[in-house]
Amino acid sequence: MILLTADIGSTYTKLTAIDTAEKKILATSSAFTTIETDVKEGFVSALAKLEQKIGKFNYDELLCCSSAAGGLKMVSLGLVPELTAKASKLAAASAGAKVVKTYAFEISQAEQAEIFDINPDLVLLCGGTDGGNKEVILTNARRLCQIDRPFTVIAAGNKSASFELEEIFTKSGKPFVITENVMPEFNKLNIEPARQKIKELFISRIIEAKGLSGIQKMCKTDIIPTPLAVLNACELLSKGTKNVSGLGDLLAVDIGGATTDVYSISDGRPTLENVTIKGLPEPVSKRTVEGDLGMRYSLSSLVDELNLDALSEELQMDKSKITDWVTICSQNPDTLASPDSQQQKIEESIARSALKIAIERHSGTYQPVYTPFGQVFTLTGKDLSAVPFVIGVGGVIINAGQPQYILEGAKLQSDDFVFAKPKNPDYLIDKKYIFASMGLLTAVYPDLALTLLKQEIIKQ
C-alpha cells in the first residue's frame, strides 16, 4: 500500500510518499502554499515534484493536516490568570490552535473591541470550578454575543452555568458548543474534552475558511491541524508503542513562517531540592505557540524582540543589511536565502533567537525564596533541565548550514539560569520534514510511524 501525506503549511505544502509494505519513505517534496488562490494548486505542484523523484504513481490513501494562513486562530477566556485562564490556553494550544490572546476576569469594552479586531475562528470560554463562581463566565458569554464576528464559542467552564450559557447563546444566535470544565476542581486539569471539541470544530469551520474543501474531498479521514499532528508524533516518539520503544522525554521546536511552536513530552518534575511548585500543574504533553516569532509572516514582530545592535556585532555586518533582509522576507514570504550567503547567516541568527525566546516562554522558571530555614525555590511551570533530546523541525533548521548553532538556543546558559531549560541535550533534526506526516500515520500505523521516525531523525 502506498500512503501519501500532505502537510499544508502557512508557507510550504509538504508531501511524503510511504510504502507500508517495504516500511520506507519513498520520497518527500514541497511547494509554496497557494493561499491566495487555491491550496490545491500548491498540492498539485508538490505532487509533480514528488513524481519527478519516483515517477508516476497511484496512492491508496491521502492523509492531510494543515496550518495554512496561520492555522486555527483562537482567543481564550478564563477567570483567574494563573488558573482557568492558563488552563484554557493549554487546552487550546494542545489541540493545535494558534492562541492569539488570553483574557482573565470579566472582559472590558476595550477587550471586546480587541477580540473584534482579532476576528478569531474560535473562542474558548472558561471560568470557575464546578459549583464555584459562575457570574464571570455568564457575563463574558453575554459580552461575546455582542461582538459582531462569526466565531464559534466553546464553553468549558463551571458546569453549574451550562443551562444559562445555553440560553444566552441560543437567544443571540451565536454558534456554540458546551463541554466539560477544563478545571473542574482547584488545580486539577481536564483539557481533553475541550481539546476534542476544538479538533471537531477545526474540521467543520477551518476547511471552508482556508479553501481546503477540495483537498478534504480527496481524503478518507478528516484534515487535522498540523500542530496536533506534530504533537501526536512527539508523543509517539517519546512514549513508544507496545512493540517499538520510544526515546523518553523530549523537546521539539518547529520554527515556521507564521509561528514558532514548542512541544515538550515530560512530567517536568523539579530537579532541584527544596522546591515548592507554584501555579497550575501542567500536562505531560504540552504545546505552546508563539504567534510573534515566525520567520516570515510575523518576522517584523520577531525582530522587535531582538537586540539588532548585538546581532549586528555577532554577525560582523552592518545593521542595515539585517533590516534590509527582514523587509524583503516580510514583503515576499517565499524568499529563500542562498546557501553560505550573508542572508543565510542572518536567517540562522534570527532563528536561533526565535528558538531561544520560544523555549524560555515554554519552560518553567525557578525563583529563590529566603526563609528563616534558609533558601528554597519556587518552580512555576515544567522543569525541562534534564530533558535529553531537543529536536529541530521546520525549514530554517532543515536547510541551515549550521543547524546545531540554531538548536543551541535551547540550551541553558549562564545568563538565563532562572529558566528550567535543558542543560546538556543531544540535538536531533527532522531532516526530511516528516514529523507532521508521521503524526498523521500514527492514527493508522503507529508502529510503522515510530520506526520511520527513529530511522529518519538525524543526530547532530
Side-chain angles (χ1 to χ4, degrees):
M1 177 183 284
I2 304 298
L3 291 179
L4 182 65
T5 66
D7 172 13
I8 302 174
S10 59
T11 310
Y12 288 95
T13 292
K14 286 81 67 178
L15 301 186
T16 303
I18 303 158
D19 187 328
T20 61
E22 295 292 329
K23 297 184 178 181
K24 68 178 183 180
I25 293 173
L26 298 175
T28 62
S29 68
S30 66
F32 190 64
T33 300
T34 45
I35 296 171
E36 303 301 327
T37 53
D38 185 333
V39 294
K40 195 172 178 180
E41 294 176 15
F43 173 88
V44 171
S45 179
L47 184 59
K49 291 182 178 180
L50 196 62
E51 291 182 334
Q52 287 175 4
K53 295 180 179 181
I54 61 174
K56 291 280 186 181
F57 71 100
N58 294 317
Y59 55 87
D60 297 283
E61 188 171 347
L62 173 64
L63 305 172
C64 183
C65 58
S66 176
S67 58
L72 188 69
K73 190 165 58 173
M74 289 189 66
V75 298
S76 64
L77 285 70
L79 176 55
V80 180
E82 295 81 7
L83 297 173
T84 49
K86 183 175 180 180
S88 69
K89 186 172 182 179
L90 285 171
S94 68
K98 176 182 178 181
V99 184
V100 179
K101 192 72 180 284
T102 301
Y103 300 92
F105 311 117
E106 293 180 6
I107 56 172
S108 65
Q109 189 173 18
E111 288 170 332
Q112 281 180 294
E114 189 173 47
I115 294 171
F116 177 87
D117 290 338
I118 291 170
N119 191 19
D121 297 297
L122 301 176
V123 173
L124 181 59
L125 174 63
C126 307
T129 55
D130 287 343
N133 181 300
K134 66 178 185 178
E135 292 308 312
V136 170
I137 193 172
L138 293 175
T139 298
N140 281 340
R142 296 185 187 98
R143 292 179 181 174
L144 287 173
C145 290
Q146 295 168 0
I147 301 172
D148 188 19
R149 290 293 195 186
F151 54 77
T152 298
V153 178
I154 300 171
N158 183 355
K159 70 176 184 179
S160 301
S162 58
F163 181 74
E164 292 101 317
L165 287 170
E166 187 171 355
E167 283 190 323
I168 291 167
F169 291 125
T170 301
K171 185 177 180 180
S172 74
K174 180 72 72 178
F176 74 98
V177 293
I178 295 176
T179 190
E180 295 177 31
N181 196 345
V182 296
M183 198 176 75
E185 300 174 25
F186 180 76
N187 262 16
K188 180 181 178 181
L189 277 178
N190 177 42
I191 64 176
E192 190 55 39
R195 173 176 159 170
Q196 185 61 34
K197 290 297 181 185
I198 294 167
K199 178 184 171 183
E200 291 170 5
L201 286 167
F202 170 90
I203 296 160
S204 63
R205 181 176 177 80
I206 211 76
I207 299 304
E208 290 298 331
K210 306 305 181 190
L212 292 166
S213 55
I215 300 289
Q216 179 64 86
K217 291 174 183 176
M218 299 162 60
C219 302
K220 292 181 181 178
T221 57
D222 292 323
I223 296 176
I224 65 171
T226 298
L228 180 58
V230 175
L231 182 61
N232 290 343
C234 288
E235 290 178 334
L236 180 71
L237 184 58
S238 171
K239 299 172 184 178
T241 67
K242 189 179 295 184
N243 302 312
V244 186
S245 62
L247 297 182
D249 287 0
L250 58 83
L251 188 65
V253 188
D254 186 352
I255 305 176
T259 66
T260 292
D261 296 4
V262 181
Y263 305 81
S264 61
I265 314 297
S266 170
D267 59 24
R269 293 176 184 171
T271 56
L272 300 180
E273 295 182 355
N274 300 321
V275 174
T276 300
I277 297 176
K278 182 180 177 182
L280 191 65
E282 296 195 345
V284 171
S285 300
K286 176 184 175 182
R287 170 191 176 239
T288 52
V289 52
E290 307 303 338
D292 61 337
L293 301 181
M295 292 297 294
R296 287 298 180 267
Y297 292 99
S298 52
L299 182 57
S300 59
S301 59
L302 165 56
V303 172
D304 287 343
E305 293 282 323
L306 309 182
N307 182 336
L308 290 186
D309 291 323
L311 191 62
S312 172
E313 185 175 342
E314 177 190 335
L315 293 171
Q316 296 184 330
M317 67 176 66
D318 193 273
K319 187 165 69 173
S320 64
K321 292 184 178 179
I322 300 172
T323 55
D324 287 347
W325 178 246
V326 169
T327 300
I328 291 169
C329 294
S330 299
Q331 294 176 350
N332 303 282
D334 57 341
T335 302
L336 296 176
S338 301
D340 302 319
S341 64
Q342 282 190 331
Q343 288 78 15
Q344 186 177 47
K345 291 180 180 178
I346 296 170
E347 285 275 279
E348 292 177 9
S349 291
I350 293 175
R352 177 187 171 105
S353 298
L355 186 145
K356 181 178 187 293
I357 295 167
I359 286 185
E360 288 175 355
R361 293 179 183 177
H362 182 97
S363 301
T365 55
Y366 277 109
Q367 294 292 340
V369 177
Y370 298 94
T371 73
F373 305 101
Q375 181 178 328
V376 297
F377 295 90
T378 62
L379 171 64
T380 304
K382 297 170 77 170
D383 184 340
L384 302 174
S385 58
V387 169
F389 299 104
V390 173
I391 305 171
V393 184
V396 69
I397 296 175
I398 294 169
N399 299 317
Q402 303 179 76
Q404 182 161 332
Y405 166 77
I406 298 174
L407 292 172
E408 283 176 346
K411 189 175 180 179
L412 184 69
Q413 305 294 332
S414 58
D415 60 345
D416 54 16
F417 60 89
V418 300
F419 299 104
K421 295 163 60 177
K423 289 183 177 178
N424 192 31
D426 284 334
Y427 301 114
L428 309 174
I429 292 184
D430 177 18
K431 190 65 179 175
K432 291 184 179 177
Y433 217 148
I434 62 165
F435 247 73
S437 173
M438 295 303 103
L440 288 167
L441 197 61
T442 296
V444 285
Y445 295 104
D447 287 351
L448 175 59
L450 181 53
T451 298
L452 291 174
L453 273 170
K454 292 174 75 173
Q455 284 176 2
E456 298 292 341
I457 300 302
I458 297 173
K459 186 173 181 179
Q460 290 300 291

